[in-house]
Amino acid sequence: DAGVIQSPRHEVTEMGQEVTLRCKPISGHDYLFWYRQTMMRGLELLIYFNNNVPIDDSGMPEDRFSAKMPNASFSTLKIQPSEPRDSAVYFCASSLAPPSGSGKTQYFGPGTRLLVL
Amino acid sequence: KNQVEQSPQSLIILEGKNCTLQCNYTVSPFSNLRWYKQDTGRGPVSLTIMTFSENTKSNGRYTATLDADTKQSSLHITASQLSDSASYICVVISGGGADGLTFGKGTHLIIQP
């Protein structure tokens, strides 16, 4: 398996522009997670899906952020409009279990490095 | 408020030496604790998952310990190698929701030849 695939790997955009990050989870994984990582705040869970349905989006910072999972093999995280404080590395991860699932590992993608100027 | 504190923030050791990274938490209730290794420019990779009843778990040269009474965990690396240079992140899980995951800010480990 190729693991979790994310695109693009790097994104540079100007404030106010729409940004769309993409993720392909590992085949067969029921759970998909979106994380954000910054030096100041570390890793933060933004939202997670189970069987394509958003289960908990309490980590999404504000209405400018939205995430969808139209099918089991694809998810997007959209920021509209983007702001400089959104600059971070965004990770997608997939798993066979929910966040509390003690026996199952989450597999992370390589991340998308976003810079908003 | 749930918190995870990792120490030290950064550490430099010589290749071949051992080291121990610390993770103290105030998360409650406790479900499980995870250690991740994150190489520069890559996503985190799971090293261990520890439940309440597990005191020690090993993964090759990595050994994690958990003391649920004192709410402390440690990650011991034996005979360090250059490839161990990375950030090590401790995550404590208390529930199923997004707010049930509490992340430490990580320890940045550098192995020098």
Side-chain angles (χ1 to χ4, degrees):
Chain A
D1 199 318
V4 176
I5 298 172
Q6 291 187 248
S7 66
R9 292 296 308 277
H10 303 271
E11 178 80 33
V12 180
T13 190
E14 292 187 342
M15 184 174 64
Q17 296 298 306
E18 178 179 295
V19 175
T20 299
L21 312 181
R22 297 172 177 79
C23 174
K24 177 177 167 39
I26 292 173
S27 177
H29 282 189
D30 303 305
Y31 290 84
L32 182 140
F33 308 83
W34 281 101
Y35 290 88
R36 178 173 66 177
Q37 186 177 41
T38 61
M39 291 289 290
M40 290 295 294
R41 300 170 69 92
L43 265 172
E44 302 172 279
L45 177 62
L46 302 177
I47 184 173
Y48 78 93
F49 294 82
N50 176 217
N51 291 326
N52 315 337
V53 177
I55 301 301
D56 192 326
D57 65 355
S58 58
M60 295 284 262
E62 48 198 274
D63 292 344
R64 297 184 298 107
F65 286 69
S66 63
K68 294 182 180 178
M69 192 165 185
N71 57 64
S73 59
F74 184 66
S75 177
T76 59
L77 178 67
K78 187 176 293 186
I79 308 172
Q80 167 63 18
S82 59
E83 295 182 5
R85 61 193 167 115
D86 301 330
S87 298
V89 181
Y90 291 82
F91 289 103
C92 176
S94 71
S95 174
L96 291 168
S100 60
S102 59
K104 301 301 180 184
T105 298
Q106 287 188 22
Y107 295 86
F108 283 75
T112 294
R113 295 180 178 277
L114 173 65
L115 177 61
V116 182
L117 302 173
Chain B
K1 182 184 175 185
N2 289 340
Q3 285 189 316
V4 173
E5 298 289 338
Q6 290 189 245
S7 61
Q9 235 179 359
S10 61
L11 180 63
I12 302 174
I13 64 171
L14 292 175
E15 184 180 11
K17 298 296 186 184
N18 303 336
C19 67
T20 300
L21 315 181
Q22 296 290 341
C23 173
N24 297 340
Y25 60 94
T26 59
V27 175
S28 182
F30 176 88
S31 174
N32 62 88
L33 181 147
R34 307 176 184 211
W35 283 95
Y36 286 90
K37 178 188 178 190
Q38 185 175 19
D39 292 321
T40 301
R42 294 181 166 244
V45 174
S46 179
L47 293 176
T48 65
I49 301 174
M50 302 192 73
T51 59
F52 186 85
S53 59
E54 294 174 309
N55 299 115
T56 304
K57 186 175 279 190
S58 292
N59 179 359
R61 293 179 297 101
Y62 300 100
T63 299
T65 65
L66 174 65
D67 186 333
D69 291 331
T70 61
K71 298 188 176 182
Q72 295 180 324
S73 176
S74 66
L75 182 69
H76 185 75
I77 304 175
T78 304
S80 61
Q81 299 176 359
L82 297 178
S83 60
D84 293 329
S85 295
S87 287
Y88 292 83
I89 301 170
C90 174
V91 185
V92 181
I93 291 90
S94 63
D99 60 355
L101 275 73
T102 308
F103 295 86
K105 289 198 168 53
T107 292
H108 187 52
L109 176 64
I110 297 174
I111 310 298
Q112 286 188 337

